[in-house]
Amino acid sequence: MTTAEFKKQIAEGIPFRLPAPKPYDQNLNHAPKRKDILNSTEKKLAVKNALRYFPEKFHSVLAKEFVQELAAYGRIYMYRFRPDYEIKARHLDDFPHRSRSAAAIMLMISNNLNHAVAQHPHELITYGGNGAVFQNWAQYRLTMKYLSEMNDEQTLVVYSGHPLGLFPSHKNAPRLVVTNGMVIPNYSTQDHWEKFNALGVSQYGQMTAGSYMYIGPQGIVHGTTITLLNAGRMISKTGGGLTGKLFVSSGLGGMSGAQPKAADIAGIISVIAEVNPKAIQARHSQGWVDEVFSDMDKLIRRVKQATAAKEVTSMAYEGNIVDVWEKFADENINVDLGSDQTSLHNPWAGGYYPAGLSFEESNRMMAEDPEKFREAVRKSLRRQVEAINRHAKRGTYFFDYGNAFLLEASRAGADVLNPEGEFRYPSYVQDIMGPMCFDYGFGPFRWVCCSNDPADLEVTDTIATETLVKLIEKSPVQIKQQMADNIHWIKEAGKNRLVVGSQARILYADAEGRMAIADAFNKAVAEGKISAPVVIGRDHHDVSGTDSPFRETSNIYDGSKFTADMAVQNVIGDSFRGATWVSLHNGGGVGWGEAINGGFGMVLDGIEDTGNKLRMMLHWDVNNGIARRSWARNKEAMFTLKREMERTPGLKVTVPYIADDEIIEEAIKEV
Ligand SMILES: NC(=O)c1ccc[n+]([C@@H]2O[C@H](COP(=O)([O-])OP(=O)(O)OC[C@H]3O[C@@H](n4cnc5c(N)ncnc54)[C@H](O)[C@@H]3O)[C@@H](O)[C@H]2O)c1
């Protein structure tokens, strides 16, 4: 298809003539059939809701088709309206537009739906089993049309994938405001999501799926590498590093698929179990996992050989993680680091496959007998924890990697609590990412080159490296290690060939680093050293962007970890300081109802005023969370805030006085 035809199709939105029905492509990874949750009245409502997107003349054909889709898949995806062109990141000028910012957003949306990037592309799911960009293809088509038409004095409003419309605004306002899954708090259980989503009125946007900020598995490779390196420092106080050590986990899906690659980069041997052969095949063919085993005995022999020879390799096991933990315990295989990355934020609808059932049996049971399936999941989690406990007794450092493993295991009655009623294993944020990164302001900084040209990405890599190398010289000792890890990462990034989809990169930096790199990019765009604008953003796994009591904010100990003021304030603050788009979500990462998270995207177009905006916005985007973490008495954040206030005129933050525990004990005794 020529670029002109592509542009024409985007500008058309919902086609004037009914396109031919599309075949169901068996070669693609599809979302599992969703639970049959609607009663007969609600099913009619779901179809009526879906028909709202189309002129009446199509209704008699589409009504029948949508009833069938709802029965067959539990959702109405409107498959017939999938476009014929390939959806992928392109040069921003290849998208029809009146606003370059809108074109950049189209590029980002397209990347999230690219077949090479998305987990279930035909169901518009980017990752995590249910992380949706849109609920159906009509929403995609309409959104792209609006973006192609809008100017820089309009703002597009998107409610859970549904484009509400273009509203007049002004040049400095965001071009797009997205919310996903925002519901009245009392209506935020898993089944509420199933129901609202089946009705077509809400969606689970995960974190970067519904905010158009996904950059393929590279983001999570980086996060996992940093986590493993820091975990390695924790377990080898003697400085032995990760050499010859073994990491065991599960999942080779959208995000979890990064684990073997990250383990290779961090220099630790890894075994990752995965029940879905298609997921294994995808990661193996991309070179993200080195070896594949379906025979447990062969796997064990290879693990023994690799650990004895201290040979770094990553191994996928085609089967259930529960079997790996149990068999490795029986065989006395010493596991140094352990985690889990099944999609336990979504335990009943395909996120977790119970031991003892085949992949196909599970898929059938979750749709046909959901209660029996729930019991199988609970039983499997209890078995998994029992086996992990055996390993932990022998010294395995097990951590929850932000997938709600401990939460769901405890709900299943697994032996995962200590006598004080707390989880016996830490979340990776409590021990590692919180105190070592977030409390110092270190978090994700990602960018995408809108020329879609690898040469531009190389230039940005060099600029980012030079900027950080300059900053590390005057960094305080407390943050030098994080700076050094990220300088090493960015120097190696090109070599590790991490790009899948758009020309994107990620690193971790603090407020100063993020502002300096963005500033340098903006100048390079102005000077023509980078050939087109650059989008900056982050995932929501960060200092300020997310309130998630068992993940991002699990190292907040003043009782406020169940509040969500920080994440909401963050998005509001970003939106009036210059973000090109902002998004606020219910649920990312750990599950619907379990977190509130927000993000932003900003187009660096080389204009001087963009320089002012980026400094103002990034400063807030990091220091909001630093101020909150400092108020929670986190000492690393108190240190960072003090430093920030010394150098930033106008920043005046309320700092806590620290009470002496003995005074409180005495006071309680006396009353
Ligand atoms: N820590 C982080 O920074 C972070 C980041 C992103 C996602 N997450 C969380 O990690 C989880 C995984 O995300 P994802 O995008 O990879 O999801 P995904 O659904 O794409 O992948 C999970 C994989 O686990 C496999 N699986 C499920 N049960 C299994 C079992 N018992 N044994 C072996 N394999 C099994 C599935 O087949 C699937 O391929 C999610 O809960 C997500 O929210 C954490």
Side-chain angles (χ1 to χ4, degrees):
M1 184 181 293
T2 64
T3 306
E5 280 168 56
F6 165 71
K7 286 185 175 179
K8 198 169 147 227
Q9 288 205 16
I10 296 262
E12 189 183 18
I14 305 285
F16 302 116
R17 266 192 312 197
L18 208 51
K22 293 260 187 320
Y24 188 82
D25 184 347
Q26 296 292 354
N27 297 320
L28 271 187
N29 194 346
H30 286 282
K33 182 182 173 189
R34 306 297 186 189
K35 190 167 153 179
D36 182 15
I37 190 137
L38 303 181
N39 63 31
S40 57
T41 313
E42 290 164 341
K43 281 181 184 157
K44 286 183 207 155
L45 184 59
V47 174
K48 196 170 173 183
N49 286 347
L51 292 172
R52 282 186 280 195
Y53 290 101
F54 306 97
E56 287 80 359
K57 61 180 179 185
F58 296 158
H59 286 189
S60 57
V61 176
L62 292 181
K64 240 185 264 160
E65 197 165 301
F66 291 168
V67 169
Q68 277 163 3
E69 280 194 19
L70 192 58
Y73 312 112
R75 297 290 186 271
I76 302 171
Y77 297 113
M78 310 179 182
Y79 287 122
R80 181 196 282 265
F81 292 93
R82 277 197 286 112
D84 293 322
Y85 53 81
E86 193 185 352
I87 306 185
K88 60 176 185 187
R90 303 158 191 254
H91 191 293
L92 91 166
D93 287 333
D94 287 350
F95 293 98
H97 65 271
R98 293 192 185 130
S99 152
R100 288 201 114 193
S101 296
I105 296 168
M106 294 165 98
L107 181 162
M108 301 294 283
I109 290 176
S110 304
N111 191 57
N112 273 24
L113 292 171
N114 179 342
H115 284 197
V117 173
Q119 184 186 16
H120 307 307
H122 285 184
E123 288 78 29
L124 302 111
I125 301 289
T126 301
Y127 68 93
N130 56 359
V133 190
F134 297 101
Q135 299 179 66
N136 56 55
W137 287 102
Q139 294 180 343
Y140 163 80
R141 281 179 177 261
L142 264 182
T143 302
M144 294 297 272
K145 179 180 165 59
Y146 279 132
L147 287 166
S148 73
E149 289 169 352
M150 73 183 290
N151 62 41
D152 283 333
E153 293 187 344
Q154 286 174 304
T155 293
L156 176 64
V157 175
V158 175
Y159 288 6
S160 284
H162 168 66
L164 191 70
L166 290 172
F167 291 78
S169 63
H170 57 87
K171 278 207 177 73
N172 290 325
R175 296 279 69 82
L176 168 69
V177 177
V178 178
T179 47
N180 277 304
M182 300 311 295
V183 292
I184 304 301
N186 264 348
Y187 301 85
S188 203
T189 64
Q190 278 283 138
D191 273 357
H192 284 119
W193 164 69
E194 293 272 6
K195 184 167 166 169
F196 301 147
N197 196 221
L199 283 173
V201 296
S202 192
Q203 74 174 12
Y204 188 67
Q206 269 279 6
M207 300 180 121
T208 53
S211 61
Y212 325 138
M213 206 23 95
Y214 191 66
I215 54 166
Q218 179 181 178
I220 189 74
V221 174
H222 173 266
T224 309
T225 304
I226 297 288
T227 304
L228 289 174
L229 285 173
N230 285 325
R233 287 180 192 122
M234 261 188 49
I235 59 166
S236 50
K237 305 265 188 278
T238 48
L242 291 172
T243 313
K245 295 204 163 75
L246 176 65
F247 170 54
V248 168
S249 185
S250 56
L252 288 173
M255 292 284 183
S256 47
Q259 294 176 105
K261 180 91 178 173
D264 280 356
I265 297 173
I268 186 168
I269 301 159
S270 61
V271 171
I272 314 293
E274 168 59 64
V275 289
N276 181 348
K278 277 193 181 142
I280 296 190
Q281 203 191 344
R283 292 302 175 213
H284 191 231
S285 65
Q286 285 167 353
W288 288 58
V289 62
D290 301 324
E291 304 174 54
V292 177
F293 296 84
S294 50
D295 180 316
M296 180 66 85
D297 294 330
K298 282 191 186 146
L299 172 72
I300 286 174
R301 277 202 296 279
R302 181 70 182 110
V303 167
K304 286 183 176 162
Q305 191 191 34
T307 44
K310 297 190 185 333
E311 175 197 355
V312 177
T313 182
S314 51
M315 293 165 260
Y317 172 66
E318 190 184 324
N320 204 293
I321 183 62
V322 178
D323 299 328
V324 174
W325 282 115
E326 287 178 346
K327 192 75 183 169
F328 279 25
D330 295 344
E331 297 282 326
N332 291 319
I333 298 213
N334 192 31
V335 179
D336 300 280
L337 290 179
S339 194
D340 187 88
Q341 237 188 325
T342 56
S343 275
L344 272 163
H345 68 275
N346 177 30
W348 321 124
Y352 183 88
Y353 285 82
L357 293 177
S358 73
F359 184 58
E360 292 75 20
E361 279 168 338
S362 287
N363 281 337
R364 252 196 319 275
M365 196 190 284
M366 71 183 80
E368 288 167 10
D369 194 346
E371 199 31 61
K372 195 167 168 199
F373 183 71
R374 277 172 190 248
E375 199 32 58
V377 168
R378 291 191 197 104
K379 188 171 161 208
S380 181
L381 282 169
R382 291 194 291 271
R383 261 176 70 183
Q384 188 169 340
V385 167
E386 219 173 278
I388 290 169
N389 289 348
R390 285 167 68 196
H391 284 275
K393 274 201 193 109
R394 293 197 217 132
T396 301
Y397 176 77
F398 183 87
F399 58 97
D400 183 295
Y401 197 33
N403 63 339
F405 175 77
L406 294 176
L407 184 65
E408 287 305 332
S410 67
R411 286 174 178 165
D415 181 14
V416 79
L417 300 177
N418 64 23
E420 290 76 45
E422 287 155 2
F423 295 139
R424 55 162 89 195
Y425 302 109
S427 114
Y428 69 116
V429 173
Q430 279 178 294
D431 270 16
I432 305 166
M433 299 304 278
M436 296 190 194
C437 292
F438 296 164
D439 288 350
Y440 287 117
F442 278 81
F445 176 84
R446 57 179 60 183
W447 66 90
V448 174
C449 296
C450 293
S451 61
N452 208 31
D453 182 352
D456 273 345
L457 188 61
E458 255 182 63
V459 176
T460 56
D461 281 349
T462 309
I463 293 173
T465 309
E466 286 168 2
T467 309
L468 291 182
V469 165
K470 242 186 255 161
L471 285 179
I472 197 174
E473 280 170 21
K474 52 183 176 88
S475 302
V477 58
Q478 286 87 338
I479 61 170
K480 274 210 190 315
Q481 184 69 62
Q482 296 309 327
M483 295 284 284
D485 279 355
N486 282 286
I487 291 170
H488 177 69
W489 161 267
I490 193 73
K491 281 187 178 162
E492 299 281 301
K495 211 166 66 192
N496 284 321
R497 294 192 296 120
L498 295 158
V499 170
V500 180
S502 58
Q503 294 300 316
R505 190 67 80 216
I506 182 161
L507 51 75
Y508 266 26
D510 61 0
E512 191 182 24
R514 299 187 210 197
M515 290 190 292
I517 297 170
D519 226 357
F521 286 173
N522 197 47
K523 287 193 180 114
V525 173
E527 289 160 7
K529 290 183 185 152
I530 303 172
S531 72
V534 174
V535 165
I536 58 164
R538 54 166 172 73
D539 53 78
H540 307 194
H541 178 247
D542 196 6
V543 185
S544 321
T546 300
D547 277 298
S548 181
F550 303 107
R551 212 169 100 165
E552 284 81 350
T553 40
S554 58
N555 73 323
I556 301 277
Y557 301 105
D558 69 350
S560 72
K561 69 177 175 181
F562 296 99
T563 64
D565 298 300
M566 177 180 74
V568 176
Q569 287 277 359
N570 213 61
V571 169
I572 296 172
D574 283 355
S575 74
F576 64 76
R577 286 181 174 86
T580 309
W581 74 98
V582 287
S583 60
L584 185 65
H585 303 190
N586 170 11
V590 283
W592 178 265
E594 305 285 359
I596 299 288
N597 69 82
F600 75 87
M602 189 179 211
V603 179
L604 305 181
D605 49 11
I607 292 170
E608 203 182 316
D609 193 38
T610 304
N612 301 330
K613 285 184 192 169
L614 74 86
R615 282 186 292 275
M616 206 177 353
M617 197 209 69
L618 289 171
H619 186 269
W620 159 254
D621 191 63
V622 177
N623 282 299
N624 169 37
I626 296 294
R628 188 269 176 106
R629 287 164 187 276
S630 155
W631 184 239
R633 294 180 285 262
N634 290 14
K635 65 178 192 315
E636 293 83 2
M638 291 175 75
F639 162 83
T640 310
L641 183 67
K642 186 164 174 279
R643 199 171 156 242
E644 196 59 61
M645 284 206 282
E646 279 163 10
R647 67 178 171 208
T648 310
L651 180 69
K652 294 201 178 348
V653 176
T654 318
V655 291
Y657 294 101
I658 307 295
D660 183 336
D661 287 341
E662 269 181 36
I663 294 181
I664 299 168
E665 291 294 335
E666 282 301 315
I668 284 182
K669 259 191 244 156
E670 281 169 26
V671 177

